[in-house]
């Protein structure tokens, strides 16, 4: 008697019927900043990339294949570690607490003060050599890089789907009187 499981294509969704966006949290890859704990402990350098789930550090740059562009918004509560967001919009249009993002006062600039609610460009990505997909988000000073990635993929010749493009993301150091941080730089490979 064989113990091999026979799976029909129509059965591949069994057990996943009640899943929604909250159940599909991909590991996030983030840029390590000069104030990051791993940088302060000497285990990584500022500008490196970190997979928050696996702990893997990508030194200097990372290659990715973006699968889709997703617009979101997020308003954080006061800076207390571990507190959930005050409001989140998984579609960039409607927040779960304050409603329509376009009308929300937390999403607007006021006298050169950035909004409390940040726009996020999120890309689910494949990382060559990794078994599990991940996600990379671009917000605040990284928004231009998130838009640049999309434009480079969209207007490349010959045209192909977004997931038909390989990108290398590295970082550049930025400084102002308010601080020093790394921003992503996107290159089509």
């Amino acid at each position: 008697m064989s113990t091999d499981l026979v799976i029909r294509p129509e059965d591949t969704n069994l057990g996943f019927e009640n899943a929604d966006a909250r159940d599909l949290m991909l590991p996030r890859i983030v840029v390590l900043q000069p104030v990051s704990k791993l940088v302060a402990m000497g285990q990584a350098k500022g500008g490196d990339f970190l997979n928050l789930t696996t702990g893997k550090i990508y030194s200097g740059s990372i290659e990715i294949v973006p699968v889709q562009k997703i617009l979101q918004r997020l308003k954080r509560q006061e800076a207390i570690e571990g507190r959930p967001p005050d409001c989140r919009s998984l579609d960039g249009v409607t927040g779960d607490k304050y409603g329509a993002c376009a009308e929300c006062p937390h999403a607007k600039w006021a006298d050169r003060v950035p909004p409390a609610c940040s726009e996020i460009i999120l890309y689910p990505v494949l990382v060559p050599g990794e078994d599990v997909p991940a996600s990379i988000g671009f917000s605040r000073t990284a928004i231009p890089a998130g838009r640049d990635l999309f434009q480079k993929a969209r207007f490349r010749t010959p045209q192909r789907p977004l997931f038909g493009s390989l990108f290398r993301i590295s970082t550049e150091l930025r400084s102002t009187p308010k601080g020093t941080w790394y921003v992503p730089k996107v290159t089509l490979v």
Side-chain angles (χ1 to χ4, degrees):
M1 174 185 216
S2 173
T3 58
D4 291 341
L5 182 62
V6 176
I7 300 174
R8 300 174 303 175
E10 61 270 21
D11 294 337
T12 58
N13 200 39
L14 290 176
F16 299 106
E17 298 89 355
N18 296 317
D20 63 24
R22 294 169 297 183
D23 299 315
L24 302 172
M25 300 301 288
L26 293 174
R28 284 191 319 133
I29 296 174
V30 298
V31 175
L32 291 174
Q33 298 298 336
V35 296
S36 299
K37 191 175 190 178
L38 289 174
V39 174
M41 294 176 10
Q43 296 176 351
K45 298 182 305 259
D48 285 349
F49 294 86
L50 171 68
N51 182 315
L52 292 175
T53 301
T54 66
K56 182 173 181 175
I57 296 170
Y58 301 87
S59 185
S61 68
I62 185 170
E63 288 190 346
I64 58 137
V65 175
V67 176
Q68 182 181 17
K69 177 184 176 190
I70 301 170
L71 296 176
Q72 298 184 344
R73 293 195 73 89
L74 180 70
K75 180 183 180 293
R76 298 194 184 281
Q77 295 189 41
E78 298 301 317
I80 298 174
E81 183 117 0
R83 290 186 74 180
D86 185 31
C87 185
R88 172 178 291 173
S89 170
L90 296 177
D91 62 4
V93 177
T94 306
D96 59 8
K97 182 174 181 179
Y98 298 109
C101 298
E103 299 166 15
C104 181
H106 300 292
K108 302 196 182 332
W109 283 77
D111 298 324
R112 299 183 55 101
V113 175
C117 180
S118 299
E119 177 183 12
I120 300 169
I121 301 174
L122 181 71
Y123 289 95
V125 299
L126 302 174
V127 179
E130 300 292 337
D131 295 333
V132 177
S135 66
I136 294 181
F138 299 85
S139 63
R140 300 197 179 266
T141 58
I143 284 285
R147 290 187 177 127
D148 187 41
L149 185 153
F150 185 78
Q151 289 176 6
K152 285 179 176 174
R154 185 68 184 115
F155 297 116
R156 72 174 298 168
T157 305
Q159 286 189 338
R160 55 180 76 168
L162 178 61
F163 53 83
S165 300
L166 178 67
F167 288 90
R168 180 175 296 112
I169 303 178
S170 56
T171 56
E172 296 178 330
L173 186 63
R174 298 273 171 88
S175 291
T176 69
K178 291 184 177 183
T180 301
W181 68 97
Y182 288 89
V183 294
K185 180 182 176 185
V186 176
T187 306
L188 183 61
V189 177

